[in-house]
């Protein structure tokens, strides 16, 4: 099964993802976890260009293609082989981030980015995406001093990012879960585990009906 954690910077993705993976491993599952962009040699090089501070101009459309290229490599090198072995894959960000950061919040057409990303990933979509939703005013102070290239785009951009995630969640209600991240870490994690438990039970009973 394939799970993704997404949302604005500072929303608690990494925190929740780590706890989620710990839970899956305690349940005896083999779990592979990756950052998108990143987690492959090429992906890490692209990540450094995309998120690091430098003076090299990168057009929004180029930026979108670079994020998407890192994703293609991640899917081919790690995600698909891991899923084929029956392992769980849990990603920190995926397609939605590109649709939102370069589409809804950037100036590119979100639907066009869906099309590009469907091609780039051979249509591989997660079973569930958890969007950790947090008001920008709460998320931004959590980021600390050294902001990356995306985080330094300011509050107005981050408001468009948050709204973009919520828009995409409404469009994909079956696979995208919006989680109120403005609560205690343990409370948020409990809800994510419950949602996942129900999803896994539904999926395994659907499978057994066809056997
Ligand atoms: P992200 O990966 O989405 O950028 P992190 O998981 O790194 O977010 O969390 C950003 C900061 O906020 C960290 O310092 C983390 O400890 C803190 N944090 C995460 N979740 C919560 C929460 N529910 N309440 C308060 N602080 C949190
Ligand atoms: Mg993080």
């Amino acid at each position: 099964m394939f799970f993704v954690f997404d949302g604005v910077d500072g929303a608690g993705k990494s925190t929740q993802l780590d706890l989620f993976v710990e839970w899956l491993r305690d349940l005896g599952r083999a779990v592979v976890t990756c950052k998108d962009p990143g987690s492959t040699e090429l992906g890490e090089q692209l990540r450094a260009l995309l998120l690091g501070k430098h003076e090299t101009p990168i057009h929004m459309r180029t930026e979108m293609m670079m994020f998407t290229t890192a994703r293609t490599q991640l899917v081919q090198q790690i995600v698909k082989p891991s899923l084929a072995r029956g392992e769980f894959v849990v990603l920190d960000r995926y397609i939605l981030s590109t649709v939102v950061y370069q589409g809804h919040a950037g100036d590119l057409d979100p639907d066009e980015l869906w099309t590009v990303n469907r091609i780039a990933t051979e249509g591989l979509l997660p079973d569930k995406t958890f969007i950790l939703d947090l008001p920008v005013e709460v998320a931004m102070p959590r980021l600390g001093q050294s902001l990356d290239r995306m985080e330094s785009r300011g509050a107005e951009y981050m408001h468009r990012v948050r709204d973009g995630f919520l828009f995409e969640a409404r469009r994909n209600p079956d696979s995208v879960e919006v989680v109120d991240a403005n609560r205690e870490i343990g409370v948020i994690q409990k809800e994510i585990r419950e949602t996942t438990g129900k999803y896994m039970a539904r999926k395994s009973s659907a499978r057994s009906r066809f056997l």
Side-chain angles (χ1 to χ4, degrees):
M1 282 191 204
F2 180 14
F3 296 96
V4 172
F5 286 74
D6 222 324
V8 293
D9 302 278
K13 293 181 296 299
S14 305
T15 305
Q16 294 298 330
L17 186 150
D18 287 349
L19 293 168
F20 182 71
V21 168
E22 199 178 291
W23 174 65
L24 289 176
R25 290 194 173 132
D26 284 347
L27 292 175
R29 311 288 188 174
V31 187
V32 173
T33 148
C34 300
K35 269 191 219 158
D36 178 18
S39 301
T40 66
E41 200 179 334
L42 178 66
E44 290 296 337
Q45 289 179 27
L46 289 166
R47 184 184 179 90
L49 281 166
L50 286 163
L51 299 180
K53 280 285 171 67
H54 54 76
E55 298 300 318
T56 307
I58 305 179
H59 189 276
M60 188 62 80
R61 188 166 281 272
T62 316
E63 180 179 297
M64 177 275 287
M65 293 303 288
M66 289 168 73
F67 274 112
T68 304
T69 299
R71 184 165 304 129
T72 301
Q73 187 63 27
L74 181 65
V75 165
Q76 296 301 330
Q77 191 176 325
I78 300 179
V79 179
K80 283 204 159 185
S82 303
L83 291 173
R85 285 193 297 268
E87 294 163 1
F88 277 53
V89 175
V90 186
L91 298 190
D92 193 327
R93 299 194 180 280
Y94 193 53
I95 296 173
L96 267 190
S97 276
T98 301
V99 170
V100 167
Y101 279 77
Q102 284 72 45
H104 292 278
D107 54 2
L108 304 181
D109 174 6
D111 290 331
E112 197 180 40
L113 304 200
W114 271 116
T115 302
V116 171
N117 271 271
R118 250 180 234 117
I119 296 165
T121 61
E122 289 187 282
L124 181 67
L125 293 173
D127 286 272
K128 281 257 172 261
T129 297
F130 294 105
I131 293 181
L132 296 167
D133 179 54
L134 195 60
V136 172
E137 294 73 19
V138 183
M140 287 191 80
R142 288 192 187 171
L143 297 179
Q145 295 301 308
S146 58
L147 301 181
D148 70 28
R149 248 180 100 252
M150 297 300 125
E151 291 165 349
S152 54
R153 287 184 174 167
E156 207 177 301
Y157 184 83
M158 287 306 154
H159 277 287
R160 292 202 297 275
V161 168
R162 184 191 185 198
D163 292 346
F165 275 121
L166 295 176
F167 179 89
E168 291 296 329
R170 285 194 296 276
R171 287 217 282 192
N172 303 281
D174 292 340
S175 63
V176 179
E177 303 283 335
V178 177
V179 179
D180 175 6
N182 203 4
R183 295 177 292 169
E184 279 182 23
I185 291 171
V187 174
I188 300 166
Q189 182 63 205
K190 186 163 176 279
E191 181 178 309
I192 291 171
R193 290 179 184 184
E194 280 170 4
T195 304
T196 306
K198 279 187 207 144
Y199 176 75
M200 292 197 295
R202 233 184 11 256
K203 210 164 160 167
S204 76
S205 80
R207 213 176 19 245
S208 62
R209 272 205 301 279
F210 289 106
L211 288 178

